[in-house]
Amino acid sequence: MKIFIDTANLEMIKEINSWGILDGVTTNPSLIAKEGTDVATRVKEIASIVDGPISAEAMSTDWEGMVKEGRELAKIHKNINVKLPMCVESLKATKVLSSEGIDVNMTLIFSPHQALLAAKAGAKYVSPFIGRLDDIGSYGTDLLGQICGIFENYGFDTEVIAASIRSPVHVLDAALAGCDIATIPYNILSMMVSHPKTDEGIAKFVADFEKSKKK
Ligand code: G3P
């Protein structure tokens, strides 16, 4: 499973990239706003750090506007894909952009039906938001299995990005469901590294090594 970081913060991106495990980056308008910058500037900066797909969201609400914005975003760097929110207009825009070789990440996916339509329109990625489904009392991770199963049944090339990840368990669920990618916040990636038994084991090895030096 590929690992993307879900942030627009350059320090976090640099740190995770230095771990040697980072395959790409997703941003959204809320994450960009938190950094006090604009999408074009920030994705250009991210592209200079990470050699992998970077999602940049288009904000138009009609398909012609989405196509225009998508073409501009794609011009920034070869690794940029255009994030569009799931709706009729974005399906139309996806058809056009994908026919021009511009990758689309269809975001705000909350049902398998939406994912199927996005794949049919030619989206390169679909982003099911599992944490936000949990928020309203649904089982977000069930959606991952349904989408992966449908794409497998029909041989769609569209990749599934597990998004709105709120815990290491969500990452495990994404991997077990067979998702191609999980886009993970910095704090969850940090949690994934640690285990109390690892810390305990390291402390014991260090203590025993120090003791053996004294003999
Ligand atoms: O990738 C989508 C993600 O940024 C949304 O996460 O936690 O706002 O639901 P969250």
Side-chain angles (χ1 to χ4, degrees):
M1 186 172 70
K2 283 173 270 187
I3 290 183
F4 289 6
I5 186 167
D6 192 30
T7 187
N9 182 282
L10 295 181
E11 292 316 307
M12 289 179 183
I13 292 167
K14 280 182 198 157
E15 171 61 19
I16 300 302
N17 195 44
S18 75
W19 294 5
I21 53 99
L22 192 62
D23 299 300
V25 180
T26 52
T27 70
N28 65 36
S30 311
L31 294 170
I32 298 275
K34 251 208 271 187
E35 301 301 318
T37 182
D38 64 274
V39 65
T41 309
R42 187 43 55 105
V43 293
K44 200 172 179 179
E45 289 166 326
I46 296 172
S48 72
I49 302 168
V50 180
D51 184 20
I54 299 158
S55 293
E57 194 148 341
M59 297 309 294
S60 300
T61 51
D62 62 294
W63 73 267
E64 291 98 332
M66 289 175 183
V67 167
K68 200 164 162 246
E69 234 185 297
R71 285 176 183 148
E72 290 307 310
L73 288 168
K75 268 188 219 156
I76 296 173
H77 192 277
K78 64 176 175 45
N79 288 346
I80 304 286
N81 60 74
V82 182
K83 224 177 181 187
L84 296 176
M86 178 67 202
C87 60
V88 170
E89 293 300 301
S90 63
L91 286 174
K92 294 180 192 174
T94 298
K95 190 76 195 163
V96 177
L97 290 170
S98 62
S99 73
E100 294 175 8
I102 296 173
D103 290 342
V104 171
N105 173 1
M106 194 70 94
T107 189
L108 290 167
I109 295 285
F110 289 95
S111 77
H113 318 84
Q114 292 177 319
L116 176 60
L117 294 176
K120 294 278 296 178
K124 164 87 177 168
Y125 309 102
V126 289
S127 291
F129 273 36
I130 59 175
R132 292 192 194 182
L133 277 172
D134 290 357
D135 289 346
I136 57 163
S138 295
Y139 289 104
T141 54
D142 285 356
L143 177 60
L144 302 179
Q146 289 169 343
I147 297 173
C148 290
I150 291 167
F151 287 4
E152 176 75 26
N153 285 348
Y154 297 101
F156 284 111
D157 291 333
T158 307
E159 295 184 40
V160 180
I161 306 181
S164 184
I165 282 183
R166 306 275 176 78
S167 71
V169 173
H170 275 157
V171 180
L172 180 61
D173 289 337
L176 292 173
C179 291
D180 303 278
I181 302 153
T183 188
I184 309 173
Y186 180 86
N187 65 322
I188 307 299
L189 286 161
S190 303
M191 285 184 216
M192 287 166 61
V193 179
S194 305
H195 194 283
K197 296 302 282 182
T198 306
D199 297 343
E200 183 188 295
I202 290 172
K204 181 156 171 33
F205 287 152
V206 170
D208 289 346
F209 174 67
E210 292 302 328
K211 262 191 263 164
S212 70
K213 277 202 310 192
K214 284 178 195 141
K215 280 182 189 159

